Amino acid sequence: MKIYAFNGKSNLCGEEIRSLREKKRLSQEQLAAKMQVEGVQINQKAVSRIETGDRVVPDYEVLTFARVLGVEVGRLLREQKSE
């Protein structure tokens, strides 16, 4: 059971984080390492859980993901359209 859920997910940004990570040809491990350099203690498993929507993403992590991926925070928080 998820503590927090919106449309079955624990976050809005996971799918966009995955898309941006793949466009930059980063592995989950590499993205986690970049986050660690910025002071956020996160590992590959946490990145995976974020991307699948199984983990809540605190605001400070959203800010850091945006900085590391080179995008505005708003891009990570857009609601994904289901097809």
Side-chain angles (χ1 to χ4, degrees):
M1 177 177 86
K2 293 183 182 179
I3 297 173
Y4 303 103
F6 177 75
N7 292 335
K9 303 255 181 179
S10 293
N11 66 63
L12 288 175
C13 60
E15 292 178 23
E16 190 66 15
I17 288 171
R18 177 187 359 237
S19 175
L20 291 165
R21 176 183 60 77
E22 289 173 348
K23 285 179 185 170
K24 292 187 172 286
R25 296 190 168 157
L26 294 171
S27 68
Q28 291 175 341
E29 188 69 36
Q30 290 169 321
L31 179 55
K34 288 180 177 289
M35 294 288 287
Q36 291 169 13
V37 167
E38 295 292 322
V40 175
Q41 295 309 307
I42 193 169
N43 59 28
Q44 176 275 324
K45 185 168 178 77
V47 172
S48 175
R49 292 185 64 228
I50 288 167
E51 290 182 354
T52 59
D54 291 329
R55 181 181 176 278
V56 172
V57 185
D59 52 5
Y60 68 91
E61 288 182 1
V62 174
L63 288 171
T64 307
F65 273 118
R67 186 170 45 253
V68 165
L69 293 168
V71 297
E72 297 289 326
V73 171
R75 178 152 178 196
L76 298 181
L77 297 177
R78 290 188 303 207
E79 189 172 356
Q80 302 296 313
K81 304 274 192 256
S82 55
E83 298 182 32

